Amino acid sequence: MITTNVWSVEQLPDEKLGPELAAAAAQLRDGGLIAFPTETVYGLGADARSSSAVGRIFSAKGRPSDNPLIVHIANRQQLDELVLPYPQLASALMDSFWPGPLTIVLPARPDVLSPLVTAGLASVGIRIPDHRAALTLLELAGCPVAAPSANRSGRPSPTLARHVLEDLDGRIDGLVDDGATGVGLESTVVELVGEQMIRILRPGGITLEALRIAAPYATIDSASLEEPESAPRSPGMKYTHYAPQGELILVQGAPDAVTAYIHRQVERAASSGETTGVLAFEERLQGYKADRVLSLGSEAELATAAHRLYAALRAFDEGGVQRIWSESSGEQGIGAALMNRLAKAAGNRVVRV
């Protein structure tokens, strides 16, 4: 067991972050594993140039070795040492969305990053997070930091420091606690095909609509969101992720039909002695009688649902819920990422009524 140091910085002003996080940055440089908050979820960071450090990420998380990692940097000046020349379209996306929840897959410069980061691919996903503690830590560390979500592989991603400790306490060297994350879902991952095509590999905090505004001349392809048969080009593409311990089923259809179906299933499971849960929007929340009914917020504010999702899935685990049904949302804006995560959390168990 490793002693996990915790640096609590939520109450600190920005100017005091540097002195407080110097020790965490030093541990990163020395091969340590440090969990830290971003604007999306908490990440588990290691020096992306060190195979021994990056290997500890896979061990701590129980993560498949063919699943590539996203590299986080503090500024664009670090890019040249990590990647080969890239299209102007990539620069336009950086201008619009960095710092922020957009990961861009770029051609990796040979022999710089650990091959464990790229999972044997010739490319690497890179982003600059829009979070004060993350940026301070990255600047102090002075190295590119590989950082998947700071949870055991397959579990709901952490949006609070306590979620990290639930999964990884004793497996990592340190944790920076700066309170709840903002977006609540991981970054959007895109790759460039030629000079004028953007392919979305994973929906996330930057929406399809926002990409179209930022790059109106580009073709945007979201067809690649299907599960790949070969090695994934991005995190979140191949394996079941974000899953609660109980069985989750995602229900799609007209609202009245969805409500009626979930009600019947809850009654049937309860009669068999199973503990039941429902994840629903505020508009229909009072209609459910499960053991644990949790709100995603209003259907009109899907950003709230995105922010609440992972904490809700973990809350079902805390309550020992065995069977869970979730309502669905539209797929406009952040709804595309929300539905992507729900489907993966359900292991693609989707019922249409």
Side-chain angles (χ1 to χ4, degrees), residues 47-70:
D47 185 343
R49 304 166 300 182
S50 166
S51 288
S52 60
V54 174
R56 294 185 60 201
I57 291 177
F58 287 90
S59 296
K61 285 176 61 69
R63 182 183 177 95
S65 61
D66 68 342
N67 206 1
L69 303 178
I70 292 171

Side-chain angles (χ1 to χ4, degrees), residues 198-234:
I198 301 169
R199 180 172 292 151
I200 300 174
L201 301 180
R202 181 181 73 184
I206 300 299
T207 66
L208 174 64
E209 294 82 356
L211 288 171
R212 284 181 170 149
I213 292 171
Y217 57 90
T219 301
I220 301 180
D221 173 22
S222 58
S224 59
L225 296 179
E226 299 300 323
E227 296 288 329
E229 295 180 1
S230 57
R233 304 189 304 281
S234 159

